């Protein structure tokens, strides 16, 4: 079974650019999460979708971060415009009925904003 | 509130000894408490979890304890090995129609030979 797939694995952006991160959840999972991981803040929830509907759009991240779930097997996270403080690892995770509580994480996208 | 506090942030132990990580949560409606292990360069993976209807759970050298009254839960690793060196995250989930997890800031465990 394929796990959660994230692309790209690494992204380098200039300040002010727009970047789009992609995620494919585990097939059949209907919950999808975007987290940002930094050493200072740990794992911060950015967005949460259930059956493609946006359940939560992390308050502090609303202005420049926009997550979408175009279909049940694909999600994007757009950061526009990027700032150096956005440098972090962005993790996508999914869970579903069969796995009940377990979140399966992707390998992450490491973003560096110069 | 939704905060989960995790301590310590760094834990160094000798191989063969035990290691304990403690977490507290704010929302008394939380009903599910997983622990994730993240090895360097890897994604976090679930290692053990406990629901609010239990006080203790044990599997393969891992013990989790839950004290609902104190809103506190803990992970205990017995007989630590170098392979246990990693980042550990606790998390809490509210009851109800959500699978959203709120994570602690993580504990870096270093097992020294």
């Amino acid at each position: 079974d394929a796990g959660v797939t994230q692309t790209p694995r690494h992204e380098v952006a200039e300040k002010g650019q727009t970047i789009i991160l992609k995620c494919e959840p585990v097939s059949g999972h209907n919950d999808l999460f975007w987290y940002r991981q930094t050493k200072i803040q740990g794992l911060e929830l950015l967005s949460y979708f259930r059956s493609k509907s946006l359940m939560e759009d992390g308050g502090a991240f609303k202005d420049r971060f926009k997550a979408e779930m175009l279909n049940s097997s694909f999600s994007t996270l757009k950061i526009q415009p990027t700032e150096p403080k956005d440098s972090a690892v962005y993790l996508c995770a999914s869970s579903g009925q069969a796995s009940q509580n377990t979140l399966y994480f992707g390998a992450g996208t490491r973003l560096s904003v110069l | 509130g939704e905060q989960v506090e995790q301590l310590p942030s760094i834990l160094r132990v000798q191989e063969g000894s035990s290691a304990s990580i403690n977490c507290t949560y704010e929302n008394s409606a939380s009903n599910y408490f997983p622990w994730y292990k993240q090895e360097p360069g890897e994604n976090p993976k679930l290692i053990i979890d406990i629901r609010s209807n239990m006080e203790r759970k044990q599997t393969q050298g891992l013990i989790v304890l839950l004290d609902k009254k104190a809103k506190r839960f803990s992970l205990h690793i017995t007989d630590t090995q170098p392979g246990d060196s990693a980042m550990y995250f606790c998390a809490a989930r509210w009851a109800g129609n959500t699978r959203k997890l709120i994570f602690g800031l993580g504990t870096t465990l270093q097992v020294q030979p």
Side-chain angles (χ1 to χ4, degrees):
Chain A
D1 278 343
V4 176
T5 303
Q6 288 187 250
T7 54
R9 290 295 309 275
H10 303 275
E11 179 79 64
V12 179
E14 298 280 344
K15 179 183 172 182
Q17 271 187 285
T18 296
I19 62 105
I20 297 176
L21 310 181
K22 305 177 182 73
C23 174
E24 296 174 35
V26 174
S27 179
H29 281 187
N30 58 359
D31 285 281
L32 186 140
F33 306 83
W34 284 98
Y35 283 91
R36 182 171 80 173
Q37 184 174 22
T38 60
K39 285 185 179 175
I40 304 290
Q41 299 294 338
L43 287 159
E44 299 173 281
L45 180 69
L46 302 176
S47 290
Y48 166 33
F49 292 89
R50 165 162 285 185
S51 301
K52 299 187 294 180
S53 296
L54 185 63
M55 303 291 285
E56 182 152 340
D57 199 355
F61 298 96
K62 280 182 181 174
D63 59 345
R64 295 182 299 106
F65 291 72
K66 183 177 176 63
E68 291 184 317
M69 195 148 188
L70 306 179
N71 56 57
S72 60
S73 58
F74 186 68
S75 175
T76 58
L77 176 65
K78 181 193 289 186
I79 308 175
Q80 179 183 36
T82 52
E83 297 182 6
K85 65 181 180 181
D86 300 332
S87 297
V89 175
Y90 290 82
L91 289 165
C92 178
S94 70
S95 69
Q97 293 262 346
S99 69
Q100 281 300 309
N101 298 304
T102 305
L103 252 61
Y104 292 86
F105 284 89
T109 296
R110 182 174 293 278
L111 173 65
S112 298
V113 182
L114 308 177
Chain B
E2 291 192 345
Q3 299 296 317
V4 175
E5 184 174 353
Q6 181 172 350
L7 291 170
S9 55
I10 299 175
L11 180 58
R12 295 185 181 90
V13 300
Q14 290 294 123
E15 182 178 353
S17 65
S18 61
S20 297
I21 303 171
N22 299 291
C23 290
T24 56
Y25 58 97
E26 295 183 344
N27 193 323
S28 56
S30 298
N31 67 348
Y32 173 66
F33 308 91
W35 288 87
Y36 283 78
K37 176 183 180 182
Q38 185 177 29
E39 301 192 56
E42 299 290 323
N43 50 343
K45 293 180 176 65
L46 178 72
I47 53 173
I48 192 169
D49 57 14
I50 189 166
R51 293 177 180 271
S52 57
N53 61 352
M54 302 174 69
E55 294 179 349
R56 185 180 192 277
K57 186 174 180 180
Q58 181 170 357
T59 180
Q60 296 177 342
L62 303 175
I63 301 170
V64 289
L65 303 175
L66 173 63
D67 181 344
K68 285 183 292 184
K69 196 171 180 181
K71 290 190 279 188
R72 180 172 59 220
F73 58 113
S74 56
L75 173 68
H76 305 272
I77 306 172
T78 60
D79 187 25
T80 53
Q81 299 298 311
D84 294 324
S85 296
M87 176 79 84
Y88 291 81
F89 292 96
C90 64
R93 190 191 74 182
W94 288 2
N97 189 30
T98 178
R99 291 200 184 100
K100 179 180 78 172
L101 290 177
I102 303 299
F103 286 88
L105 290 183
T107 296
T108 299
L109 173 63
Q110 297 173 353
V111 180
Q112 297 167 331

